[in-house]
Amino acid sequence: MENSTSMADQNTKTADADAAPKKKRRPQRPQAYYDEIKERFAAERDIRLDYRPPGTDQYMEATGDYAHYEIDPYADETIERDPITDTVEVLLIGGGFSALLTSARLREVGVESIRIVERGADVGGTWYWNRYPGVACDVVAYDYLPLLDEMGYVPSRHYARGPEILDHCRAIAERYDLYDLAVFQTTVTSTTWSADEELWHVATDRGDLMKAQFVICANGTLAKPKLARIEGMADFAGHSFHTSRWDYDYTGSDLSNLADKRVAIIGTGASAVQIIPELGRVAKELYVFQRTPSSIDIRDDWETDQEWAKSLEPGWQAKRREKALKMMGRGGFVYGGSKYDDLSREEKIRRQENANIDAMMRIHRRIDEVVDDPETADSLKPWYMLMCKRPCFHNEYLPTFNLPNVHLVDTKGRGVTLIDEKGPTFDGRVYEVDLLIYATGFEVQQTGIYNRIVGEHGLDLNEKYAEGIQTLFGIHSHGFPNLFIMGGYQAPFQFNLTDMLQTQGDHIAACIAYVRDNGFHTIDPTAAAEQWWVQQVIEHRGKTNRNKDCTPGYYNFEGQFNRRQDGNYNAGILTYVEHMSEIRENKMEDTFVFTTR
Ligand code: NDP
């Protein structure tokens, strides 16, 4: 987790000591206290499950009448160009962190012909699209920004802001000459294996028919905006957009155009938490439509100490990362170690849950301390275990609700279900607004968004997955030679996503190097290796009821039943890395089928 990692260096020590209270012994409370809170958690979860349309069906893609919610507002113009029909060695679908850090490793192993194909007008991925006011990353920048050693760069703050991260992405693309072959404003629509040529044929919405020996699906974990299905959305007569397509022409670059505007925002996830304080400062009126509150903790941000930055030895980030990976360990129980060996599984879970509840009640107490109006404070309290939803860190979010122009509309788990031409309606009241912002999130960890992937014998990847996702390490899928997937399911979930992506990027570059160095042309996992991994995923996902017990959200597939294999690998990133290393060092020929040309 980010906080344990942030303790790991000198720069954080003084400030962390100031920010974090000294570790107190947890108060001894009767079990009945915890059981009562757990009952409330369950009741709040059930309210939400009962109200909302089932599972992920409550959301929809921005297509048809809603296609304008995906238009890129950041590109100056659409570049005209002729269709491309050439062949490259490696083609990456997507130009975000996955593509950039993997390309850097590919350059290191000698790959010259690398093409990024990207829907946006530049590299950056998430950081290209998310330019909303207040955008920043909650993971410590010294861990989150990739390739800091290679780039000789130290981020300017403990938590980097969006523009700095986007600039870093551009710098990586420059440094590794990735702009040379890159193609922007281009969406890959199909990726089809040609058995005759032993190449991938990559078609796009710009009429391209590119070919590539290797394809890396680097399309991101949260890349495609989604919209809640709300009756009457299309009737709204005011202005509206999704958080990932911020319309600065409308709001003004400093949001000053909103001074005479009534604004509504739907959703209170991590994006909204960063945006709401910015809107609250300027909007004439701001209505925040909340279905489930986020947990809001303190954000201990500061400018990087330049003396500390100068003192860093070459390779500092790699060392930090290695340390962090070891600390994150193998997942599983907090109560690990020989001291707890004698505890039963039930007792370990009980203690872990009680500690989690204590953490959540601390978050509740802070809300009472900061928010003046007791009713609003109560509404802002999250009733679920920490990590059921993505925890948020912000110092201005809660105080924003003390401003006279900011109004929390607590839908008490129901959500907005109706919008008319004037604005959202709730409990019989129409909230008349000029601007409506959808902070309703993204499709999660979907491989091949916008893109149909067809492997050997015409097999569609989605058809193959219809009976459950089948991969080796979440990266390779049998029958899809020379195809690599990044950021999809069956790989560990990491709060610092970059750790996971770097692990995958290193592995993919090593596999491609192996193919090149041994004179092979293709690499494909055996069906047996793939089945071994699927069983690993199933085994480790079966250990807790967390998915079922948690309030719905994208971490638990909105409370929908899902097959055990259709999620992340839960045995921890260290075990994941060890499995990969073992195969790369000793078992390549047992695990993969290689062909030559
Ligand atoms: P989320 O999916 O986290 O949030 C969507 C929000 O929309 C939820 O609050 C959801 O409520 C709400 N919602 C959906 N339908 C309705 C409805 N009908 N009425 C009212 N509310 C509704 O999306 P985000 O864009 O906020 O965040 C996505 C992810 O991006 C984060 O989890 C994080 O991983 C990443 N991120 C990280 C940031 C950081 O580093 N600080 C900043 C921004 C994003 P409910 O909870 O009830 O489902």
Side-chain angles (χ1 to χ4, degrees):
M1 287 270 305
E2 56 167 333
N3 289 340
S4 53
T5 315
S6 69
M7 301 283 184
D9 66 81
Q10 296 212 335
N11 191 39
T12 59
K13 268 191 189 140
T14 346
D16 273 347
D18 291 344
K22 288 230 160 16
K23 224 181 177 183
K24 287 192 204 138
R25 278 183 77 80
R26 284 202 297 123
Q28 293 295 314
R29 294 198 168 95
Q31 188 55 35
Y33 164 86
Y34 295 105
D35 290 344
E36 208 175 298
I37 292 173
K38 274 181 72 179
E39 275 170 30
R40 173 83 189 263
F41 285 0
E44 293 281 340
R45 175 204 59 212
D46 291 346
I47 288 172
R48 283 161 177 79
L49 285 174
D50 286 349
Y51 273 127
R52 69 182 67 190
T56 45
D57 288 349
Q58 66 185 292
Y59 290 106
M60 62 181 182
E61 293 182 7
T63 51
D65 283 353
Y66 305 102
H68 59 282
Y69 287 108
E70 276 213 29
I71 292 173
D72 182 354
Y74 315 120
D76 296 333
E77 54 180 340
T78 304
I79 304 292
E80 292 306 322
R81 62 168 176 79
D82 292 331
I84 299 171
T85 54
D86 62 1
T87 303
V88 295
E89 186 171 355
V90 179
L91 186 144
L92 296 115
I93 302 172
F97 275 13
S98 301
L100 297 171
L101 53 81
T102 307
S103 299
R105 292 289 176 265
L106 290 169
R107 290 287 193 230
E108 286 164 16
V109 299
V111 178
E112 285 174 9
S113 160
I114 300 176
R115 167 168 294 143
I116 286 173
V117 183
E118 165 58 54
R119 195 168 155 80
D122 202 343
V123 296
T126 289
W127 301 102
Y128 174 87
W129 294 110
N130 288 284
R131 302 191 194 193
Y132 55 74
V135 62
C137 183
D138 277 353
V139 181
V140 175
Y142 318 122
D143 301 306
Y144 180 71
L145 269 67
L147 304 171
L148 293 178
D149 292 329
E150 291 81 350
M151 299 295 293
Y153 183 66
V154 181
S156 68
R157 305 189 66 83
H158 189 228
Y159 293 117
R161 295 180 180 160
E164 179 173 2
I165 306 176
L166 181 55
D167 283 348
H168 184 63
C169 291
R170 290 173 174 144
I172 295 171
E174 294 281 1
R175 154 87 170 72
Y176 290 97
D177 299 325
L178 299 175
Y179 282 118
D180 294 355
L181 285 179
V183 187
F184 294 110
Q185 299 181 317
T186 303
T187 303
V188 173
T189 50
S190 72
T191 303
T192 310
W193 179 247
S194 160
D196 295 341
E197 291 173 84
E198 293 196 326
L199 293 174
W200 286 99
H201 287 196
V202 179
T204 76
D205 63 346
R206 304 288 290 262
D208 306 304
L209 270 179
M210 309 170 193
K211 295 178 186 178
Q213 184 181 353
F214 301 99
V215 166
I216 301 174
C217 297
N219 56 242
T221 52
L222 294 160
K224 191 175 185 181
K226 63 181 164 54
L227 297 165
R229 289 179 202 274
I230 303 174
E231 197 187 324
M233 275 170 76
D235 300 336
F236 178 59
H239 197 66
S240 61
F241 52 79
H242 185 273
T243 52
S244 66
R245 304 289 189 274
W246 196 270
D247 187 351
Y248 281 103
D249 283 346
Y250 181 87
T251 64
S253 57
D254 56 357
L255 308 189
S256 55
N257 297 354
L258 300 182
D260 61 352
K261 299 281 188 296
R262 297 155 302 175
V263 180
I265 183 162
I266 296 181
T268 49
S271 300
V273 165
Q274 293 185 333
I275 292 166
I276 286 164
E278 307 296 324
L279 293 174
R281 253 193 284 282
V282 290
K284 184 175 163 211
E285 302 292 340
L286 174 64
Y287 298 96
V288 177
F289 287 86
Q290 172 187 276
R291 188 165 66 175
T292 310
S294 284
S295 66
I296 313 290
D297 214 333
I298 295 167
R299 184 176 166 83
D300 49 347
D301 193 14
W302 56 80
E303 279 181 24
T304 299
D305 174 350
Q306 290 309 316
E307 289 308 309
W308 169 78
K310 275 187 225 142
S311 74
L312 291 168
E313 307 262 335
W316 65 271
Q317 193 190 34
K319 278 203 202 100
R320 217 180 134 93
R321 188 165 169 258
E322 203 179 314
K323 201 166 167 182
L325 289 185
K326 281 199 186 119
M327 281 166 81
M328 281 179 285
R330 293 163 211 289
F333 294 113
V334 171
Y335 290 92
S338 57
K339 201 168 133 200
Y340 300 101
D341 278 355
D342 292 341
L343 296 182
S344 66
R345 183 172 178 273
E346 288 70 28
E347 180 58 12
K348 284 179 185 168
I349 291 176
R350 189 186 68 83
R351 290 189 185 199
Q352 194 173 35
E353 285 181 348
N354 290 357
N356 191 315
I357 289 171
D358 284 338
M360 280 314 253
M361 292 307 112
R362 183 178 60 74
I363 280 167
H364 282 205
R365 282 196 296 281
R366 202 171 146 254
I367 297 169
D368 283 330
E369 283 161 18
V370 175
V371 178
D372 297 339
D373 173 46
E375 202 183 322
T376 307
D378 262 357
S379 290
L380 287 165
K381 288 177 187 162
W383 288 96
Y384 47 79
M385 292 279 182
L386 193 68
M387 291 307 290
C388 277
K389 280 186 180 288
R390 207 263 188 199
C392 295
F393 304 85
H394 208 292
N395 299 344
E396 282 93 49
Y397 181 73
L398 295 173
T400 297
F401 292 95
N402 293 334
L403 297 173
N405 59 325
V406 178
H407 318 281
L408 180 67
V409 185
D410 180 9
T411 68
K412 298 190 180 352
R414 274 186 273 175
V416 177
T417 53
L418 187 63
I419 294 175
D420 73 11
E421 81 250 30
K422 294 197 177 110
T425 298
F426 184 70
D427 249 358
R429 175 175 166 190
V430 180
Y431 291 81
E432 205 170 331
V433 293
D434 305 293
L435 172 63
L436 181 50
I437 300 169
Y438 291 101
T440 47
F442 302 86
E443 298 286 346
V444 183
Q445 293 192 268
Q446 251 187 39
T447 303
I449 47 172
Y450 310 105
N451 172 24
R452 181 165 179 243
I453 302 172
V454 181
E456 282 179 335
H457 314 299
L459 181 61
D460 184 313
L461 189 67
N462 283 332
E463 271 168 37
K464 174 172 173 177
Y465 283 2
E467 295 303 313
I469 295 173
Q470 295 176 69
T471 74
L472 171 63
F473 299 139
I475 295 177
H476 315 263
S477 198
H478 174 64
F480 294 79
N482 289 2
L483 184 87
F484 304 93
I485 297 161
M486 297 185 75
Y489 284 127
Q490 297 197 346
F493 172 84
Q494 284 303 109
F495 194 73
N496 180 14
L497 183 65
T498 316
D499 279 333
M500 220 282 298
L501 297 177
Q502 187 67 69
T503 299
Q504 294 194 327
D506 291 351
H507 173 79
I508 293 167
C511 287
I512 291 176
Y514 190 90
V515 171
R516 299 173 112 235
D517 295 348
N518 290 284
F520 297 131
H521 184 75
T522 68
I523 173 173
D524 190 24
T526 64
E530 182 171 279
Q531 275 318 303
W532 163 73
W533 187 249
V534 170
Q535 290 313 313
Q536 290 290 312
V537 174
I538 291 171
E539 187 186 316
H540 291 287
R541 284 180 64 75
K543 285 186 173 162
T544 72
N545 282 333
R546 249 180 106 77
N547 259 13
K548 195 161 84 30
D549 292 345
C550 272
T551 190
Y554 80 80
Y555 276 14
N556 69 345
F557 311 93
E558 306 293 340
Q560 202 170 27
F561 168 78
N562 79 312
R563 286 169 302 242
R564 289 256 188 236
Q565 74 200 77
D566 291 355
N568 293 109
Y569 168 70
N570 285 347
I573 192 159
L574 201 56
T575 318
Y576 183 66
V577 171
E578 283 170 359
H579 278 310
M580 281 182 178
S581 307
E582 163 69 3
I583 284 179
R584 290 207 302 267
E585 280 157 30
N586 302 315
K587 295 186 184 161
M588 283 301 272
E589 311 276 333
D590 297 335
T591 307
F592 298 102
V593 174
F594 295 95
T595 65
T596 49
R597 265 184 84 77

